Amino acid sequence: MLKLHNSLTRTLQDFVPIESGRVRMYVCGMTVYDYCHLGHARVMVVFDMVARWLRASGYDVTYVRNITDIDDKIIKRAQENGESIRVLTDRFIAAMHEDADALGVLRPDAEPRATEFVPQMLDLIGKLEKKGYAYAAGNHDVCYSVRKFDGYGKLSGKSIEDLRSGERVDVQEGKQDPLDFVLWKHAKENEPAEAKWESPWGAGRPGWHIECSAMSSQLLGDHFDIHGGGQDLQFPHHENEIAQSEGAHGNTFVNYWMHNGFVRVDEEKMSKSLGNFFTIREVLKKYDAEVVRFFILRAHYRSPLNYSDAHLDDAKQALTRLYTALKGFEGEATVDWHEAHAQRFRDAMDNDFGTPEAMSVLFDLAGEVNRTGDAKAAAQLKALGGVLGLLERPADDYLKGRQRAVTASLDAVIVDVDAQIAARVAAKKTKNFAEADRIRDELKAQGIVLEDGPGGTTWRRA
C-alpha cells in the first residue's frame, strides 16, 4: 500500500483516496515572466513522477498544475519590455512547455491560467466576505482576517503569536492585522487596462493566494486528495489557501500535502542575489535533458537537491551505465510486477515515492544484464525505467549522442589550448615573458604540457 509523508500531519500515512480508484491532485505551477529555473524543474519532474506512479498503481488520476499569468512581477516586466501582458506570458508559457517536454514531463490534465478564472475568484471572495473572513482595507484592497480562522498555522506548525512576533501594523496598507493578506488588489493608476477587472469592491485584480483556491476548487472540487508544490510555498501560500478554502466552504480542503525540498548550488540555496541561479535552458546547454531528470529523481523528493557540475557529471556516467546495459535491446517492454526486482521497485515507490531505492533496483538489473545477457532482465530494466520517465530512448541513440557530446567537448578543449598557445606566442613577441610564463603554468596546472621547438609550440597531456 502506498504511504506518503503528509506535510499537514508531519507523519507517514497510508494513502486512501476520497473516491476509490481515483486521485485528484493539484500542484502550484509557474509565474510566467521569465525562463524556468532549476527549482521549477524539480517541481515539474517530482510531481510528474508522482502522477506516473499513481497511474502505474492503477489509479485514475486528474492532475492539475496552474499557471500564474497575472501579478506584480508580470506587470512590471511587461511594462519594462513595452509589450502586453498576454504577449509576455504566452511567450514564457511556450518556453516552459519546451523545457518541460525536454525533461520528459508529461502535460498535466489541466493547466488553468489565473486570468481565465477571475469570476470564480470573485465568487470565493464574496463567500468569505459574507462569512466575516474578508474585509475592505483602508487602501481599498480586500483582505483576509487571519485571526478569524481558528486553524491558521496548522500546515506550517506556526502559532499566530509566533507569527506576530516582531511584526508591526502597517498603517499604509490599512490592514486590521499585519498577518492579514490580500484577496483583491485595488487597481493602481499606472497599471494597464488588461491588469484590471471589475468587482463589487472596485476595479482591480486577484491576490496570488486566492488564485489557487479558486482554480483547484473549480477543477477538482472543494475537497480533494493531494496538493503539492515546493517547500518554499508551505508558508504563507499554502497556509493561506487552507484558510481561504476552508473558510469559504466549511470543510476540509486537502487530505494530503506534499512539498519537495529546495535546490541548493554547491551547498548554498539557489538565489539570484547569490549569483548561483541557473535556468533550465542554461543547464541543458551542457547536459542532456534526461541526465537532468535522472539527477533530480536520484534524490528523494523531500531532501535538499545539491546542484553542481560534479553531481551532474556523476549522473551522466550513471545513466550511461544503464543505457550501456540496454545496448542491443530492441522492442517495447512491459513490467512483470511478479518478478523480484519489480516487487522491490514497487516497495520503494510505495514508501513515500522512494526513487533513490527504486534507482538502485535499476542498477541491480543492469548488473544482471551485463553478467548474463538475459533479455528478460533487459526488458524489465527498460520497463521499470520507463515508469520513472527514464530509459525511453533506444540505447544506441543515447550512447551515440553522448559520444557526439564528448567529441564536441574535446574539440572545444583543443580550440581553447590552441588559443592560449597563440596568446603565449603573441606575449613572447612583445617580450611580455611574465604573461607567457603565466599561460604556460596555467596550462600545466590543467594537465597540458607545452613543448617549444624549431617548428613552433606543440602540446601534449601530462
Side-chain angles (χ1 to χ4, degrees):
M1 181 177 195
L2 173 63
K3 296 178 183 291
L4 60 82
H5 184 272
N6 189 348
S7 300
L8 183 65
T9 63
R10 298 164 191 78
T11 60
L12 193 67
Q13 293 180 230
D14 290 343
F15 176 67
V16 181
I18 296 167
E19 298 177 53
S20 179
R22 184 185 178 200
V23 178
R24 288 169 289 159
M25 179 170 75
Y26 183 92
V27 173
C28 288
M30 319 313 152
T31 301
V32 284
Y33 68 99
D34 208 340
Y35 292 112
C36 294
H37 55 65
L38 284 177
H40 296 138
R42 191 175 198 192
V43 171
M44 289 191 288
V45 170
V46 161
F47 288 99
D48 176 68
M49 171 272 294
V50 169
R52 285 172 183 262
W53 182 246
L54 290 169
R55 289 181 174 124
S57 301
Y59 291 109
D60 176 14
V61 178
T62 303
Y63 174 23
V64 177
R65 189 185 68 218
N66 79 291
I67 295 170
T68 296
D69 61 346
I70 185 67
D71 85 336
D72 291 340
K73 292 178 180 177
I74 291 172
I75 294 170
K76 182 181 178 184
R77 182 64 58 85
Q79 290 176 328
E80 289 172 348
N81 292 354
E83 61 185 332
S84 73
I85 290 172
R86 184 73 187 208
V87 168
L88 175 81
T89 55
D90 280 353
R91 183 168 71 255
F92 284 113
I93 288 170
M96 175 191 72
H97 284 149
E98 289 173 2
D99 291 342
D101 291 347
L103 292 169
V105 174
L106 303 176
R107 298 285 174 92
D109 298 291
E111 282 187 298
R113 296 173 64 136
T115 54
E116 297 170 351
F117 286 77
V118 174
Q120 290 84 352
M121 297 172 202
L122 291 171
D123 180 64
L124 194 55
I125 295 170
K127 288 180 180 177
L128 289 170
E129 186 179 50
K130 286 179 183 177
K131 293 190 174 186
Y133 290 106
Y135 65 92
N139 64 351
H140 305 294
D141 287 348
V142 179
C143 294
Y144 187 99
S145 182
V146 164
R147 284 191 175 272
K148 292 187 178 178
F149 182 70
D150 290 338
Y152 196 81
K154 61 185 177 181
L155 180 64
S156 59
K158 304 172 187 285
S159 70
I160 286 183
E161 278 61 42
D162 289 339
L163 293 168
R164 282 292 308 272
S165 177
E167 292 269 15
R168 64 181 180 83
V169 175
D170 190 333
V171 178
Q172 288 185 333
E173 290 189 355
K175 294 179 180 179
Q176 295 174 0
D177 188 294
L179 290 179
D180 294 351
F181 57 89
V182 176
L183 298 167
W184 186 257
K185 291 191 173 187
H186 184 69
K188 299 180 178 65
E189 288 185 8
N190 65 336
E191 291 178 338
E194 60 178 328
K196 300 174 185 177
W197 287 263
E198 291 300 323
S199 82
W201 309 278
R205 59 187 171 82
W208 176 36
H209 311 300
I210 199 69
E211 294 177 359
C212 287
S213 285
M215 288 185 281
S216 62
S217 63
Q218 178 69 22
L219 296 171
L220 298 174
D222 56 29
H223 180 205
F224 55 93
D225 300 291
I226 298 173
H227 194 315
Q231 186 180 333
D232 56 321
L233 299 183
Q234 188 167 347
F235 183 86
H237 184 52
H238 290 163
E239 193 77 71
N240 291 349
E241 280 190 66
I242 291 173
Q244 293 166 160
S245 299
E246 296 189 357
H249 301 301
N251 54 254
T252 298
F253 176 37
V254 173
N255 284 359
Y256 303 91
W257 287 86
M258 295 180 65
H259 295 93
N260 64 266
F262 290 118
V263 173
R264 301 172 68 83
V265 178
D266 292 330
E267 303 300 343
E268 287 189 296
K269 184 182 174 184
M270 186 180 73
S271 73
K272 289 184 178 178
S273 62
L274 291 174
N276 61 357
F277 183 87
F278 296 97
T279 67
I280 297 171
R281 295 183 168 221
E282 288 171 326
V283 177
L284 295 188
K285 288 178 182 177
K286 190 171 183 180
Y287 294 98
D288 183 276
E290 190 174 354
V291 170
V292 178
R293 183 183 180 93
F294 179 92
F295 164 71
I296 291 171
L297 293 178
R298 202 178 191 183
H300 191 270
Y301 77 90
R302 287 192 291 116
S303 65
L305 181 67
N306 191 41
Y307 173 87
S308 70
D309 282 357
H311 288 144
L312 265 293
D313 289 338
D314 182 66
K316 179 169 64 175
Q317 296 300 324
L319 183 60
T320 298
R321 290 200 299 275
L322 295 179
Y323 266 116
T324 300
L326 291 174
K327 190 172 175 60
F329 178 82
E330 296 179 1
E332 297 297 317
T334 55
V335 180
D336 176 5
W337 289 110
H338 299 291
E339 188 266 337
H341 290 92
Q343 290 176 6
R344 284 175 50 211
F345 185 97
R346 181 185 289 281
D347 289 343
M349 293 298 290
D350 278 347
N351 184 19
D352 195 28
F353 305 96
T355 54
E357 294 79 12
M359 291 276 198
S360 70
V361 174
L362 300 185
F363 284 100
D364 288 348
L365 273 167
E368 183 173 324
V369 173
N370 290 333
R371 286 192 308 274
T372 66
D374 184 6
K376 287 184 178 179
Q380 192 76 311
L381 169 60
K382 185 172 179 63
L384 287 174
V387 172
L388 297 177
L390 298 169
L391 306 179
E392 295 185 308
R393 286 182 278 182
D396 286 345
D397 288 358
Y398 172 83
L399 296 170
K400 287 176 183 176
R402 181 175 179 275
Q403 185 57 48
R404 284 193 297 271
V406 170
T407 301
S409 178
L410 288 173
D411 289 344
V413 168
I414 291 169
V415 169
D416 183 59
V417 172
D418 288 344
Q420 292 191 64
I421 289 174
R424 181 170 175 266
V425 169
K428 289 172 73 175
K429 282 183 179 179
T430 59
K431 300 189 184 303
N432 188 351
F433 298 111
E435 174 64 7
D437 289 345
R438 184 197 66 78
I439 293 171
R440 181 198 62 209
D441 293 342
E442 186 176 295
L443 287 171
K444 186 176 181 180
Q446 297 173 26
I448 304 295
V449 177
L450 299 185
E451 295 177 344
D452 296 318
T457 302
T458 59
W459 63 273
R460 61 178 174 81
R461 293 190 180 275

